[in-house]
Amino acid sequence: MNIKSQKDFFSGLMFLVVGLAFAIGASNYTIGSGARMGPGYFPLILGVLMAILGAAICVSGLTKGPQGGDKIGKWAWKPVFFVLAANFAFGILLVGVPQLHIPQFGLIIAIYALVFIASMAGQSFKFKETAILATVLAVGSYFAFVWALNLQFPVWPSFIAG
């Protein structure tokens, strides 16, 4: 079997595996029906749709592609590192890690850290643009999650808010 586009084939394979994992994971929850959806309904449907999309992209990678094949390039390690680090920092700063004596810093500080760390994944870093983006995202998240949806999680650091 000849893969004409490695990029399409392997990205489709990734979608297929992730979609199947979500669909299998959702089967541990109550699925329900279309009229009475359970907590596993949405992840199951999303996982199945993602798997179908992945399979279609895989087939496309086997049948279509440029002359000589579309090879996968080198991994971009810098963006992978900074995006993963930003997400880990967000989780740690949002609720803290009591075992490591890291206090919770809350939503606002966690969003600023997320945006500033993730922005280092790009080719250039512009402090002013990053600060504006972080501020808009922090204010928007506050209004969407705390004010509108009334979700209960720390907004400010525990040593300030008490």
Side-chain angles (χ1 to χ4, degrees), residues 13-126:
L13 190 63
M14 179 191 66
F15 278 118
L16 180 65
V17 169
V18 171
L20 287 175
F22 267 86
I24 291 168
S27 67
N28 293 331
Y29 298 105
T30 305
I31 305 297
S33 66
R36 286 185 85 59
M37 296 178 201
Y41 189 87
F42 183 71
L44 175 69
I45 298 300
L46 195 63
V48 168
L49 289 174
M50 185 179 264
I52 291 169
L53 177 67
I57 294 171
C58 275
V59 170
S60 172
L62 290 172
T63 58
K64 299 175 190 168
Q67 189 72 343
D70 192 9
K71 304 287 185 206
I72 295 176
K74 295 190 310 187
W75 276 62
W77 289 107
K78 180 183 171 190
V80 169
F81 172 78
F82 281 112
V83 168
L84 287 175
N87 284 286
F88 284 125
F90 179 80
I92 290 169
L93 292 174
L94 182 64
V95 294
V97 182
Q99 296 85 353
L100 299 176
H101 304 292
I102 299 173
Q104 66 184 22
F105 282 85
L107 179 69
I108 305 300
I109 303 296
I111 287 177
Y112 272 90
L114 172 82
V115 173
F116 273 93
I117 294 170
S119 68
M120 289 187 247
Q123 298 296 327
S124 64
F125 177 79
K126 297 179 180 166

